[in-house]
Amino acid sequence: MLGGTWTAPAAEPGPEVPQNVNSKVRNNVAEESTGTIQARTNNVADRNLAMELVRTTEAAAIAGGQWVGAGDKLAADGAAVDAMRSLLSTVHFNGTVVIGEGEKDEAPMLFNGEQVGDGSGPASDVAVDPIDGTRLTALGMNNALAVIAVADGGSMFDPSAVFYMDKLVVGPEAADFVDLRLPVKQNLHLVARAKGININQLTVCVLDRPRHQQLVDEIRATGARTRMILDGDVAGAIAACREGTGVDVMMGIGGTPEGIVTACAVKATGGIIQGRLAPTDDDEKQKAIDAGLDLDAVMSTDDLVTSDNCFFSATGITDGDLLRGVRYRGPKITTQSIVMRSRSGTVRMVEAEHLASKWEKYARR
C-alpha cells in the first residue's frame, strides 16, 4: 500500500514512496528533491580532491624534471608552471591562488588572484609552488619538489606584508614540548626527551644561509647534528614530521609562503609549525605594523591556516629526504608523491608509472 505524497519547495509533486522502504532511502529521495543531496555529492568530491591534486604535482614534476642539471632555473620553473596550470583547470574545485609563483620567480602564470579549477564547489585558497627549489633543479641537487596546498577559502594567512619568518617544525612526538620563544638548547633537549633519544642522535635541518651561522653554532654546541640544505625548506619541514627521513627538527628563517604551505601539510601528520615574522628592513617592518601584525607574536599551525580541511600534494623532482625524484626510462616515466588530507589525518605515498607518449606535451625540452 502506498503512503501519501510530499511537496518539493518548487511546488512540484514529489514521487510516491512506499511506507516500508528503508528510512535512509526515503531520506535520500527527499534530499534529492530538495537539492540537499548535492552537499553529500560535494563531500565525496572533497575526499577525492587530494588524489586529483596529485595529478597537478606529477605534471609539474615531469615537466620541470626535464631541466634537472641543465643550469636554467627559469626554464625549469616555466615548464613546471605551465604543466601545473594546465592540469589545475581540470580539477573539480573552485580555487583562488593566494600564494602564487609569478611574483617571486618571474614565472609566467599562477599569479596571486588567479582562478583555478573548474569552478565547482565552495571557494578554496590555493598555494602553489610548481618547483620548490628551482636552484636545486637547475644544479641537479637533492630535495626539489612540485608542491600544491589547498584549504577552505579565506583560511590561509596573508604573507604579503613580510616575506620571511623564523620557523620551528617538529613531528607529533614533540608537538607539545617545544616553543619558539625558548632557547635553542632547551627546545632541542625537549625534542630529544620527547622522542626518547640522546641529544647527539638528534638531527636538525637548517637552510644554508649566512644569517643562520649563530643558530648552527648553538645547535652544534648542544651535541645535536645539523643537516644543511641549499633550498627547499618545505621538504625539510615535512621531513621533520615524518619517520624514517633522518630529520627530527627544522629550524631557521625561511619564506613565509612556504611556512603556510608547510602548515597545510603538518596538520595531516600531527606535527606542528611555529613561526614569527622576520622583516628584513624598516620598510617591511612598517608594512607589517600597518597591516596590524604583531611582530613579536609566535604563530601556530592554526594561525597560519585556520581551516582543518587542508589538502597537500608534493611530487619529487630530484631525490631527497622526503621523496624520490622523477625518472625517465624510455617509454616510461615514474614519479613518487606524498598526498595528505588534514580532516582525516591521512598521508598517502603514491608511486606512479606514466607512459611517456601520453606526456609528450610536458616531458620534453
Side-chain angles (χ1 to χ4, degrees):
M1 178 178 178
L2 296 179
T5 60
W6 48 267
T7 304
E12 289 184 320
E16 293 183 335
V17 184
Q19 293 281 9
N20 60 353
V21 166
N22 182 286
S23 61
K24 290 184 178 180
V25 174
R26 293 176 65 87
N27 289 339
N28 285 342
V29 172
E31 288 176 359
E32 183 178 24
S33 176
T34 61
T36 56
I37 199 169
Q38 185 62 41
R40 179 171 296 144
T41 302
N42 285 343
N43 285 338
V44 172
D46 191 55
R47 287 195 296 271
N48 292 335
L49 179 57
M51 298 309 294
E52 288 199 68
L53 292 175
V54 76
R55 295 188 298 115
T56 72
T57 56
E58 286 173 345
I62 289 170
Q66 289 285 299
W67 294 87
V68 169
D72 191 340
K73 69 177 187 178
L74 290 180
D77 205 37
V81 168
D82 287 343
M84 179 175 280
R85 186 172 188 270
S86 177
L87 266 291
L88 270 174
S89 66
T90 70
V91 176
H92 298 303
F93 79 129
N94 179 17
T96 300
V97 177
V98 297
I99 298 175
E101 180 68 7
E103 293 178 356
K104 185 178 68 170
D105 287 338
E106 301 177 1
M109 297 289 184
L110 290 172
F111 52 85
N112 288 357
E114 182 172 352
Q115 300 299 304
V116 292
D118 68 359
S120 62
S124 301
D125 286 352
V126 182
V128 297
D129 201 345
I131 299 183
D132 179 42
T134 53
R135 181 165 54 149
L136 301 177
T137 301
L139 297 178
M141 301 182 74
N142 287 356
N143 283 322
L145 302 175
V147 173
I148 188 169
V150 175
D152 291 334
S155 65
M156 290 186 183
F157 177 77
D158 181 0
S160 59
V162 181
F163 187 75
Y164 289 103
M165 70 185 333
D166 194 8
K167 306 174 193 176
L168 171 62
V169 182
V170 295
E173 305 93 339
D176 295 329
F177 285 75
V178 298
D179 193 305
L180 191 56
R181 290 162 290 206
L182 294 175
V184 170
K185 179 179 179 180
Q186 188 172 358
N187 270 324
L188 294 183
H189 277 282
L190 288 168
V191 173
R193 178 182 174 187
K195 294 174 78 78
I197 61 177
N198 295 327
I199 191 73
N200 63 4
Q201 295 174 304
L202 206 65
T203 299
V204 185
C205 182
V206 183
L207 277 170
D208 189 3
R209 300 288 188 273
R211 63 176 178 264
H212 287 149
Q213 187 57 57
Q214 181 178 341
L215 171 62
V216 170
D217 290 344
E218 290 183 47
I219 293 169
R220 290 172 177 167
T222 69
R225 298 174 293 183
T226 56
R227 180 168 299 181
M228 309 303 294
I229 57 174
L230 186 62
D231 289 303
D233 70 348
V234 171
I238 298 173
C241 296
R242 298 277 294 159
E243 290 291 335
T245 63
V247 176
D248 301 290
V249 189
M250 195 200 77
M251 288 181 160
I253 295 172
T256 304
E258 287 82 358
I260 297 162
V261 171
T262 297
C264 289
V266 301
K267 282 194 172 209
T269 69
I272 63 160
I273 176 173
Q274 296 180 358
R276 183 168 46 210
L277 296 174
T280 56
D281 54 36
D282 290 339
D283 288 342
E284 199 173 43
K285 184 181 293 185
Q286 188 59 50
K287 187 177 179 181
I289 294 170
D290 292 343
L293 299 174
D294 183 354
L295 294 175
D296 295 321
V298 173
M299 292 183 285
S300 68
T301 310
D302 288 336
D303 293 322
L304 294 172
V305 184
T306 59
S307 171
D308 191 39
N309 188 34
C310 302
F311 300 85
F312 174 90
S313 176
T315 301
I317 297 175
T318 60
D319 291 346
D321 297 321
L322 189 64
L323 294 167
R324 188 183 66 245
V326 62
R327 302 280 197 271
Y328 307 88
R329 291 291 183 270
K332 301 284 181 66
I333 303 171
T334 59
T335 56
Q336 186 180 54
S337 305
I338 187 168
V339 187
M340 307 184 187
R341 185 182 182 221
S342 66
R343 177 166 287 175
S344 59
T346 302
V347 178
R348 292 183 173 92
M349 300 298 294
V350 179
E351 303 271 352
E353 186 177 278
H354 315 265
L355 279 175
S357 60
K358 304 289 187 180
W359 290 81
E360 288 182 352
K361 180 178 178 181
Y362 307 113
R364 64 182 181 189
R365 285 165 55 184

